[in-house]
Amino acid sequence: MTDHVHIEQFKEISDLIERKSAHRPKIGMILGSGLGLLADEIDDADYVKYSQIPHWPESTVEGHSGQLVIGNLEGQSVVVMQGRAHYYEGYSMAQIGLPVRVMKLLGVETLFVTNAAGGVNPEFEPGDLMLITDHINLIGMGGLSPLRGQNIDSMGPRFPDMMNAYNDVLRDIAVQTSIEMDIGLRQGIYVSLAGPNFETPADLRFLQVIGADAVGMSTVPEVIVARHSGIRVLGVSGISNKANLDGNTPTSHEEVIEAGRVIVPKLVTMIRGVLRNIG
Ligand code: HPA
């Protein structure tokens, strides 16, 4: 048993989704805080509300609608999570990883994961896009893993490797796309904290010292589950605020949502371009 989830649940859910949609997506997407509007771009869409899916972790946070959108984008079949669950909402890490396990059973081979993040790198400005080159799994180092419990050998190995967690080929394509489409693209390291509180100035100075460029409360558990089962990952953070290193500027969820409005159009252009370029 993997904490609260097991493979029969993933099968039950993937069967249900396959009954509700004729699309057979090879690409999955997870849309972070304030970034859900990207799902409006999906053509020929089928919708499955999270509340209709057994065992599914529902999002309780403003800025996250709770549904799967399954359809086409740039001629590719995609399954999009419009809203995600976070550890701070009370779910176990295993529950947060469940949607990615289901995507694997649906046939997903590539996952685009997005989030809103605070810019720790002083050069980053709200509204910037940051290609995630790697992550620092502070929550994992603290003892929390979505893979804790008996390994599901049919999905992946007990001790999955985390080199190239953010796939180098996909990163090259993203950089190429950003040049073609003239979208500024930062690159950097994402560090995940549990939240829901934002960081103290001392937290942020620590994160800067350990090499973080952006900080957020999501993404890493989903990426670990994806890599466990051999799904390749492209990760992009939307920088929603500057980290409060000087201790003078409070951070709010409202500014995170507001920044999403600037970030979504760029992210849409970026993701469309990457989809065209991966062919
Ligand atoms: N810190 C943590 N998570 C976040 C932030 C932040 O500044 N902005 C958006 N998500």
Side-chain angles (χ1 to χ4, degrees):
M1 183 80 95
T2 305
D3 278 3
H4 303 286
V5 302
H6 49 85
I7 193 153
E8 286 72 27
Q9 296 173 337
F10 316 149
K11 286 187 179 141
E12 179 187 353
I13 301 170
S14 61
D15 287 350
L16 175 114
I17 293 168
E18 286 182 342
R19 284 196 301 277
K20 288 192 180 283
S21 175
H23 294 288
R24 292 295 173 261
K26 291 264 181 287
I27 294 175
M29 293 187 198
I30 303 179
L31 304 182
S33 299
L35 308 179
L37 283 175
L38 199 151
D40 294 349
E41 304 283 315
I42 307 300
D43 301 319
D44 197 16
D46 297 317
Y47 300 90
V48 189
K49 294 244 176 271
Y50 294 166
S51 57
Q52 300 176 324
I53 310 177
H55 322 295
W56 196 273
E58 284 199 55
S59 178
T60 60
V61 191
E62 194 206 324
H64 285 260
S65 20
Q67 61 182 2
L68 283 180
V69 184
I70 311 163
N72 296 319
L73 191 60
E74 294 295 335
Q76 309 238 27
S77 187
V78 296
V79 51
V80 180
M81 279 177 70
Q82 196 175 21
R84 64 143 68 81
H86 306 79
Y87 181 71
Y88 61 74
E89 294 175 78
Y91 297 106
S92 69
M93 283 296 179
Q95 284 174 298
I96 291 162
L98 175 141
V100 179
R101 309 276 212 175
V102 171
M103 285 185 186
K104 176 70 184 179
L105 294 194
L106 289 172
V108 164
E109 294 168 351
T110 303
L111 179 67
F112 292 179
V113 58
T114 68
N115 58 52
V120 178
N121 184 322
E123 293 187 359
F124 290 4
E125 294 294 333
D128 283 354
L129 284 189
M130 184 192 89
L131 180 66
I132 304 178
T133 55
D134 204 348
H135 70 222
I136 299 175
N137 183 7
L138 268 191
I139 318 183
M141 293 178 200
L144 292 171
S145 170
L147 303 177
R148 182 170 177 271
Q150 190 179 357
N151 186 50
I152 304 174
D153 295 334
S154 61
M155 301 208 84
R158 170 74 292 184
F159 300 109
D161 184 64
M162 284 294 144
M163 256 187 61
N164 204 22
Y166 300 84
N167 185 270
D168 51 355
V169 175
L170 293 176
R171 278 191 277 132
D172 284 349
I173 292 172
V175 169
Q176 200 51 46
T177 305
S178 74
I179 295 166
E180 272 168 31
M181 308 303 290
D182 198 18
I183 307 165
L185 184 64
R186 309 284 197 169
Q187 299 196 37
I189 292 175
Y190 176 86
V191 62
S192 63
L193 306 185
N197 55 288
F198 293 112
E199 300 71 39
T200 66
D203 286 333
L204 290 163
R205 286 193 295 271
F206 167 73
L207 296 178
Q208 215 171 30
V209 168
I210 66 171
D213 294 295
V215 56
M217 306 173 191
S218 68
T219 302
V220 168
E222 293 117 319
V223 170
I224 288 174
V225 169
R227 293 307 303 137
H228 176 252
S229 60
I231 297 173
R232 60 184 190 155
V233 174
L234 178 70
V236 180
S237 291
I239 303 300
S240 53
N241 54 287
K242 271 174 109 76
N244 178 21
L245 285 157
D246 57 9
N248 294 327
T249 342
T251 305
S252 72
H253 188 58
E254 287 66 37
E255 71 183 306
V256 174
I257 300 295
E258 190 52 42
R261 289 185 235 289
V262 183
I263 293 164
V264 164
K266 290 203 253 181
L267 197 57
V268 167
T269 310
M270 181 77 201
I271 286 181
R272 280 186 176 280
V274 170
L275 285 172
R276 282 195 301 274
N277 286 336
I278 60 178

